[in-house]
C-alpha cells in the first residue's frame, strides 16, 4: 500500500543535507502506484517535484508540493544480437548499481560513468557525463509518464534533445514528465574511451585494460579528488563549464594565456569553470558553514548546518566575481528549488 507522508523531512533525500520538509511525500514502487498517486483528487492541483537521490538539487525553502521519489526497481535484458544488448532499467535503480551490473555482465558503454551518485531516472535529465562519455552515447530510448495527462510517452535518443549537461527534460519539458524506464544500448565488443585526463595513466598503474579496471580507475580518480557527500555534503559541480564563441575565446586567451580550455563543436571553446573560480582566488574559500572545495573549485560544500540560502548566496558571489573578472556568466548545473 502506497504511503503518503505529510511534512516529510528531506534531509536524507538531498546530498547537500539541507533540512527542509516536503508538504507531501510518496515513494511509488510501480507505474501503477505512480498513476494511483497522480490520480488522487487531492493532488490534482498540487505542484509536483520528482526527486531521485537529490544529488543535483539545492533546496532553499520548504517544498510546498507533492514530492515524488520513484522507487520502481528492475534491470532486464530485453534484446540482444552478437554485438549489442538492449537493457531496460527502472528509474528507481541506483545509477552506480546499474554500472556495476553492466561491468559484471561484460557489457561496455557506461564504465566511465562509474560512481556518479543518483538514480537511473535522473540520468537523462542532465545527460550525465564524465571522463569523455555522456548518457546520450548509450541511451536507446526512455519511457516517461505525463504528470498531468497520465499518458505514457516513449522518447527516442534524438527526441531527448541531449546537449552538454542538458536535455528536453531540463528545458521544454521540465517538470512535465516522470521518467519511468531507461533503455540502454550496450556493447558486447569492448571499445574503451581512455583519452580523457589521467585515465590512461591511472590504468597503467593497475596494469591491464578491461571493463572492471576502467571502472576501478575511474573510481580511484573520483575518490582521490571529490568529496563523498556522506562525509562532506555537496551536489557535485555547481556550475557548468561555459562554452564561448571564437571571438570571446580570442579575447580571453589574449588576456589570460594560461586559461584552461577544450575545443567544442561549431568552432566554440569549453572553458574550465573551475579554473575561472580558482583564478578569482576562491578555491578553498570558506564563509561560515559553506565553502568551495579545496580540490575541485566547481564543488560547493556544506560544512555544517548550512541553509540552502547560504549555499545559494555563495554561488551568486562566485558568479559575480567570475563575471567581473572574465565577463562570463556561469550557469548553474544544480537545480535550485
Ligand atoms: P536529483 O538530484 O534527485 O534530481 C535531478 C533533477 O532530475 C531534478 O530536476 C529532478 O526533478 C529530476 N528528476 C529526478 N528523477 C526524475 C525522474 N524519474 N523523472 C523526471 N525527472 C527526474 N553529474 C554528472 O553529470 N557527472 C558527474 O560526474 C557527476 N558527479 C557527481 C559527483 C558528486 C559527488 C555529486 C554529489 C553529484 C555528481 N553529479 C554528476 C550530479 C548528479 O549525481 C547527477 O546529476 C545525477 O544524475 C542526479 O541524480 P539524482 O537521482 O540525485 O537526481
Ligand atoms: P578534470 O578531469 O580535472 O577536468 C576539469 C574540466 O576540464 C572538466 O570539467 C572537464 O569537462 C574538462 N576536461 C578535462 N579533460 C578534458 C578533455 N580531454 N576533453 C574535454 N574536456 C576535458 O575534472 P574532474 O573534476 O576530475 O572530474 C572528472 C570528470 O567527472 C569530468 O568529466 C567531470 O565532468 C565529471 N564530474 C562531474 C561532476 C558533476 O557534478 N557534473 C562532478 C564531479 C565530476 P567535462 O566536465 O565537460 O567533462
Amino acid at each position: 500500500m502506497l504511503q503518503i507522508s505529510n511534512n516529510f523531512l528531506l534531509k536524507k533525500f538531498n546530498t547537500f543535507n539541507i533540512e527542509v520538509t516536503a508538504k507531501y511525500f510518496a515513494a511509488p514502487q510501480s507505474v501503477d502506484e505512480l498513476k494511483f498517486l497522480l490520480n488522487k483528487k487531492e493532488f490534482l492541483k498540487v505542484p509536483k517535484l520528482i526527486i531521485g537521490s537529490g544529488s543535483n538539487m539545492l533546496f532553499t525553502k520548504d517544498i510546498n508540493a507533492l514530492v515524488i521519489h520513484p522507487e520502481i526497481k528492475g534491470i532486464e535484458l530485453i534484446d540482444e544480437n552478437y554485438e549489442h544488448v538492449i537493457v531496460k532499467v527502472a528509474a528507481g535503480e541506483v545509477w552506480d548499481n546499474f554500472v556495476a551490473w553492466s561491468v559484471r555482465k561484460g557489457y561496455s558503454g557506461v564504465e566511465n560513468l562509474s560512481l556518479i551518485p543518483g538514480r537511473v531516472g535522473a540520468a537523462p535529465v542532465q545527460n550525465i557525463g564524465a571522463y569523455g562519455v555522456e548518457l546520450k552515447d548509450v541511451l536507446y530510448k526512455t519511457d516517461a509518464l505525463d504528470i498531468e495527462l497520465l499518458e505514457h510517452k516513449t522518447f527516442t535518443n534524438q527526441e531527448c534533445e541531449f546537449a552538454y549537461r542538458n536535455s528536453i527534460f531540463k528545458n521544454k519539458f521540465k517538470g512535465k514528465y516522470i521518467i519511468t524506464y531507461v533503455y540502454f544500448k550496450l556493447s558486447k565488443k569492448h571499445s574503451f574511451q581512455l583519452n580523457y585526463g589521467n585515465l590512461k595513466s591511472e590504468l597503467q598503474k593497475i596494469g591491464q585494460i578491461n571493463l572492471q579496471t576502467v571502472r576501478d580507475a575511474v573510481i580511484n580518480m573520483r575518490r582521490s579528488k571529490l568529496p563523498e557527500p556522506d562525509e562532506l555534503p555537496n551536489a557535485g559541480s555547481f556550475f557548468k563549464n561555459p562554452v564561448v564563441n571564437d571571438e570571446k575565446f580570442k579575447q580571453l586567451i589574449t588576456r589570460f594565456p594560461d586559461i584552461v580550455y577544450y575545443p567544442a563543436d561549431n568552432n566554440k571553446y569549453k572553458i574550465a569553470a573551475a579554473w575561472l573560480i580558482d583564478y578569482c582566488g576562491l578555491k578553498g574559500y570558506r564563509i561560515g558553514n559553506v565553502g568551495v572545495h579545496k580540490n575541485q573549485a566547481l564543488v560547493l560544500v556544506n560544512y555544517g548546518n548550512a541553509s540552502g540560502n547560504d549555499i545559494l548566496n555563495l554561488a551568486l558571489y562566485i558568479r559575480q566575481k567570475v563575471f567581473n573578472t572574465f565577463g562570463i556568466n556561469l550557469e548553474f548545473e544544480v537545480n535550485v528549488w
Side-chain angles (χ1 to χ4, degrees), residues 126 129-132 164-165 195-197 222 225-226 235-237 241 262 270 272 296 298 333:
Q126 79 151 1
Y131 296 98
Y164 178 61
R165 301 286 189 271
N195 293 324
Y196 191 98
R222 294 184 71 101
K225 185 169 180 187
L226 295 166
S237 303
N241 289 319
Y262 300 90
K270 182 176 78 178
Q296 172 47 289
L298 284 183
E333 180 180 306

Side-chain angles (χ1 to χ4, degrees), residues 272-286:
W275 188 90
L276 304 177
I277 298 169
D278 193 6
Y279 186 92
C280 293
L282 293 172
K283 192 174 181 177
Y285 172 79
R286 177 172 177 167

Side-chain angles (χ1 to χ4, degrees), residues 281-329:
L282 293 172
K283 192 174 181 177
Y285 172 79
R286 177 172 177 167
I287 177 161
N289 275 331
V290 296
V292 179
H293 192 251
K294 61 178 178 9
N295 294 338
Q296 172 47 289
L298 284 183
V299 177
L300 307 189
V301 296
N302 174 3
Y303 285 109
N305 296 318
S307 70
N309 278 313
D310 292 337
I311 290 165
L312 182 61
N313 287 337
L314 174 63
L316 293 171
Y317 174 70
I318 294 168
R319 186 149 83 173
Q320 191 60 51
K321 277 247 177 188
V322 167
F323 183 77
N324 293 347
T325 312
F326 302 100
I328 290 176
N329 230 333

Side-chain angles (χ1 to χ4, degrees), residues 150-167:
L150 294 191
E151 282 169 3
H152 294 278
K153 176 159 168 59
T154 297
F155 291 84
T156 62
N157 183 308
Q158 216 184 352
E159 284 169 338
C160 290
E161 295 182 9
F162 288 125
Y164 178 61
R165 301 286 189 271
N166 217 339
S167 77

Side-chain angles (χ1 to χ4, degrees), residues 8-27:
F8 184 86
L9 189 60
L10 288 175
K11 195 169 177 180
K12 289 201 179 117
F13 288 81
N14 74 98
T15 58
F16 266 129
N17 251 4
I18 303 295
E19 235 179 279
V20 293
T21 55
K23 186 155 187 198
Y24 310 104
F25 178 91

